[in-house]
Coordinates of all heavy atoms in Angstrom, one line a residue:
S109 N 4.1 2.9 -6.3 CA 2.9 2.7 -5.4 C 3.0 1.2 -4.7 O 2.6 1.0 -3.7 CB 1.7 2.8 -6.2 OG 1.5 1.9 -7.2
T110 N 3.5 0.2 -5.5 CA 3.5 -1.1 -4.9 C 4.5 -1.2 -3.9 O 4.4 -1.9 -2.8 CB 3.7 -2.2 -6.0 OG1 4.9 -2.0 -6.6 CG2 2.6 -2.3 -7.0
K111 N 5.6 -0.5 -4.1 CA 6.7 -0.6 -3.1 C 6.2 0.2 -1.8 O 6.5 -0.3 -0.7 CB 8.0 0.4 -3.5 CG 8.9 -0.5 -4.4 CD 10.3 0.2 -4.4 CE 11.2 -0.5 -5.3 NZ 12.1 0.4 -6.1
I112 N 5.5 1.2 -2.0 CA 5.0 2.0 -0.8 C 4.0 1.1 0.1 O 4.1 0.9 1.2 CB 4.2 3.3 -1.3 CG1 5.2 4.3 -1.8 CG2 3.6 4.0 0.1 CD1 4.6 5.5 -2.4
L113 N 3.1 0.5 -0.6 CA 2.1 -0.4 0.0 C 2.8 -1.6 0.7 O 2.4 -1.9 1.8 CB 1.1 -0.9 -1.0 CG 0.0 -1.7 -0.3 CD1 -0.8 -0.9 0.7 CD2 -1.0 -2.4 -1.3
T114 N 3.8 -2.1 0.0 CA 4.5 -3.4 0.6 C 5.2 -2.9 1.9 O 5.2 -3.5 2.9 CB 5.6 -3.8 -0.4 OG1 5.0 -4.2 -1.6 CG2 6.3 -5.1 0.1
Q115 N 5.8 -1.7 1.8 CA 6.5 -1.2 3.0 C 5.5 -1.0 4.2 O 5.7 -1.4 5.4 CB 7.2 0.1 2.7 CG 8.4 0.3 3.6 CD 9.2 1.5 3.0 OE1 8.7 2.6 3.1 NE2 10.4 1.2 2.5
F116 N 4.3 -0.4 3.9 CA 3.2 -0.2 4.9 C 2.8 -1.6 5.5 O 2.5 -1.8 6.7 CB 2.1 0.5 4.3 CG 2.3 2.0 4.1 CD1 1.3 2.7 3.4 CD2 3.4 2.6 4.7 CE1 1.5 4.1 3.3 CE2 3.5 4.0 4.6 CZ 2.6 4.7 3.8
C117 N 2.7 -2.6 4.6 CA 2.3 -3.9 5.1 C 3.3 -4.7 5.9 O 2.8 -5.3 6.9 CB 2.0 -4.8 3.9 SG 0.6 -4.3 2.9
L118 N 4.5 -4.4 5.7 CA 5.6 -5.1 6.5 C 6.2 -4.3 7.7 O 6.9 -4.8 8.5 CB 6.7 -5.6 5.6 CG 6.2 -6.5 4.3 CD1 7.5 -6.9 3.6 CD2 5.4 -7.6 5.0
D119 N 5.9 -3.0 7.7 CA 6.4 -2.1 8.8 C 5.8 -2.5 10.1 O 4.5 -2.2 10.2 CB 6.4 -0.7 8.5 CG 7.2 0.1 9.5 OD1 7.1 0.0 10.7 OD2 8.0 1.0 9.0
E120 N 6.3 -2.9 11.1 CA 5.7 -3.4 12.3 C 5.3 -2.2 13.2 O 4.5 -2.2 14.1 CB 6.5 -4.3 13.2 CG 7.9 -4.4 12.9 CD 8.7 -5.5 13.7 OE1 8.1 -6.1 14.5 OE2 9.9 -5.7 13.5
F121 N 6.0 -1.0 13.0 CA 5.6 0.2 13.8 C 4.6 1.0 13.2 O 4.1 2.0 13.9 CB 6.9 1.0 14.1 CG 8.0 0.3 14.8 CD1 9.1 -0.1 14.3 CD2 7.7 0.1 16.2 CE1 10.1 -0.8 15.1 CE2 8.7 -0.7 16.9 CZ 9.9 -1.1 16.3
L122 N 4.1 0.8 12.1 CA 3.1 1.6 11.4 C 1.7 1.2 11.9 O 1.2 0.2 11.8 CB 3.1 1.4 9.9 CG 2.1 2.1 9.2 CD1 2.5 3.6 9.0 CD2 1.8 1.6 7.8
L123 N 1.2 2.2 12.8 CA -0.1 2.0 13.3 C -1.1 2.9 12.5 O -0.8 4.1 12.4 CB -0.2 2.4 14.8 CG 0.1 1.3 15.8 CD1 -0.1 1.9 17.2 CD2 -0.6 0.1 15.6
V124 N -2.1 2.4 12.0 CA -2.9 3.4 11.2 C -4.5 3.1 11.7 O -4.8 2.0 12.1 CB -3.0 3.1 9.7 CG1 -1.5 3.5 9.2 CG2 -3.1 1.7 9.4
T125 N -5.2 4.2 11.5 CA -6.7 4.1 11.7 C -7.2 3.5 10.4 O -8.1 2.8 10.4 CB -7.3 5.5 12.1 OG1 -6.5 6.0 13.1 CG2 -8.7 5.3 12.6
K126 N -6.6 4.1 9.4 CA -7.2 3.9 8.0 C -6.3 4.4 6.9 O -5.5 5.4 7.2 CB -8.5 4.7 7.9 CG -9.3 4.6 6.6 CD -10.4 5.5 6.7 CE -11.6 4.9 7.5 NZ -13.0 5.4 7.1
L127 N -6.3 3.8 5.8 CA -5.5 4.4 4.7 C -6.4 4.6 3.6 O -7.3 3.7 3.2 CB -4.5 3.4 4.2 CG -3.5 2.6 5.0 CD1 -2.7 1.7 4.1 CD2 -2.6 3.6 5.7
V128 N -6.4 5.7 2.9 CA -7.2 5.9 1.6 C -6.2 6.3 0.6 O -5.7 7.4 0.6 CB -8.2 7.1 1.9 CG1 -9.1 7.2 0.7 CG2 -9.1 6.9 3.1
L129 N -6.0 5.4 -0.3 CA -4.9 5.6 -1.4 C -5.5 5.4 -2.7 O -6.3 4.5 -3.0 CB -3.8 4.5 -1.1 CG -3.2 4.5 0.4 CD1 -2.2 3.3 0.5 CD2 -2.5 5.8 0.7
M130 N -4.9 6.2 -3.7 CA -5.1 6.1 -5.1 C -4.0 5.3 -5.7 O -2.9 5.6 -5.6 CB -5.3 7.5 -5.7 CG -5.4 7.5 -7.1 SD -7.1 7.9 -7.6 CE -7.2 9.6 -7.2
F131 N -4.4 4.2 -6.5 CA -3.5 3.5 -7.3 C -3.9 3.6 -8.9 O -5.0 3.9 -9.1 CB -3.6 2.1 -6.9 CG -3.1 1.7 -5.5 CD1 -4.0 1.9 -4.4 CD2 -1.8 1.4 -5.3 CE1 -3.6 1.6 -3.2 CE2 -1.4 1.1 -4.0 CZ -2.3 1.3 -3.0
Q132 N -2.9 3.1 -9.7 CA -3.5 3.0 -11.0 C -4.4 1.7 -11.0 O -4.1 0.7 -10.1 CB -2.4 2.8 -12.0 CG -1.4 1.6 -11.8 CD -0.2 1.7 -12.8 OE1 0.8 2.3 -12.4 NE2 -0.4 1.0 -13.9
K133 N -5.4 1.7 -11.8 CA -6.5 0.6 -11.6 C -5.8 -0.8 -11.6 O -6.3 -1.6 -10.9 CB -7.6 0.8 -12.7 CG -8.7 -0.1 -12.5 CD -9.8 0.1 -13.5 CE -11.0 -0.9 -13.3 NZ -10.6 -2.3 -13.5
E134 N -4.9 -1.0 -12.5 CA -4.3 -2.3 -12.8 C -3.7 -2.8 -11.5 O -3.8 -4.0 -11.1 CB -3.3 -2.2 -13.9 CG -2.7 -3.5 -14.3 CD -1.4 -3.8 -13.6 OE1 -0.6 -2.8 -13.3 OE2 -1.1 -4.9 -13.4
V135 N -3.0 -2.0 -10.7 CA -2.5 -2.3 -9.4 C -3.6 -2.5 -8.3 O -3.5 -3.5 -7.6 CB -1.5 -1.2 -8.9 CG1 -0.9 -1.5 -7.4 CG2 -0.3 -1.2 -9.9
A136 N -4.5 -1.6 -8.3 CA -5.8 -1.8 -7.4 C -6.4 -3.2 -7.6 O -6.7 -3.9 -6.7 CB -6.7 -0.7 -7.5
D137 N -6.5 -3.5 -8.9 CA -7.1 -4.8 -9.2 C -6.3 -6.0 -8.7 O -6.9 -7.0 -8.3 CB -7.3 -5.0 -10.6 CG -8.4 -4.1 -11.3 OD1 -9.2 -3.5 -10.5 OD2 -8.4 -3.9 -12.5
R138 N -5.0 -5.8 -8.6 CA -4.2 -6.9 -8.1 C -4.3 -7.0 -6.5 O -4.3 -8.1 -6.0 CB -2.7 -6.6 -8.4 CG -2.4 -7.1 -9.8 CD -1.2 -6.6 -10.4 NE 0.0 -6.5 -9.5 CZ 1.1 -5.7 -9.7 NH1 1.1 -4.7 -10.6 NH2 2.1 -5.7 -8.8
I139 N -4.5 -5.8 -5.9 CA -4.5 -5.7 -4.4 C -5.9 -6.5 -4.0 O -5.8 -7.3 -3.0 CB -4.5 -4.4 -4.0 CG1 -3.2 -3.7 -4.3 CG2 -4.9 -4.3 -2.5 CD1 -3.1 -2.2 -4.1
I140 N -6.9 -6.3 -4.7 CA -8.2 -7.0 -4.3 C -8.5 -8.1 -5.2 O -9.7 -8.6 -5.1 CB -9.4 -5.9 -4.4 CG1 -9.4 -5.3 -5.7 CG2 -9.2 -4.8 -3.4 CD1 -10.6 -4.3 -6.0
A141 N -7.5 -8.7 -5.9 CA -7.9 -9.9 -6.7 C -8.3 -11.1 -5.9 O -8.0 -11.3 -4.7 CB -6.6 -10.3 -7.5
K142 N -9.1 -12.0 -6.6 CA -9.5 -13.2 -6.0 C -8.5 -14.3 -6.3 O -8.0 -14.3 -7.4 CB -10.9 -13.6 -6.6 CG -12.0 -12.5 -6.3 CD -12.6 -12.8 -4.8 CE -13.4 -11.7 -4.3 NZ -13.0 -10.7 -3.5
V143 N -8.6 -15.4 -5.5 CA -7.7 -16.6 -5.8 C -8.1 -17.2 -7.1 O -9.2 -17.0 -7.5 CB -7.7 -17.5 -4.6 CG1 -9.2 -18.1 -4.5 CG2 -6.7 -18.6 -4.7
N144 N -7.2 -17.8 -7.8 CA -7.5 -18.5 -9.0 C -7.6 -17.5 -10.2 O -8.2 -17.9 -11.3 CB -8.7 -19.5 -9.1 CG -8.6 -20.6 -8.1 OD1 -7.5 -21.2 -7.9 ND2 -9.6 -20.9 -7.3
T145 N -7.1 -16.4 -10.0 CA -7.2 -15.4 -11.2 C -5.7 -14.9 -11.4 O -4.9 -15.1 -10.6 CB -8.0 -14.2 -10.9 OG1 -7.5 -13.4 -9.8 CG2 -9.5 -14.5 -10.5

Side-chain angles (χ1 to χ4, degrees):
S109 65
T110 57
K111 271 200 189 143
I112 296 172
L113 182 64
T114 303
Q115 211 169 62
F116 284 170
C117 292
L118 300 184
D119 191 310
E120 20 181 356
F121 293 113
L122 177 80
L123 273 185
V124 292
T125 317
K126 183 184 278 202
L127 314 177
V128 184
L129 303 175
M130 175 103 70
F131 295 87
Q132 65 189 85
K133 183 172 182 301
E134 186 266 330
V135 172
D137 288 347
R138 277 161 46 204
I139 296 167
I140 55 175
K142 299 277 175 257
V143 65
N144 296 320
T145 65

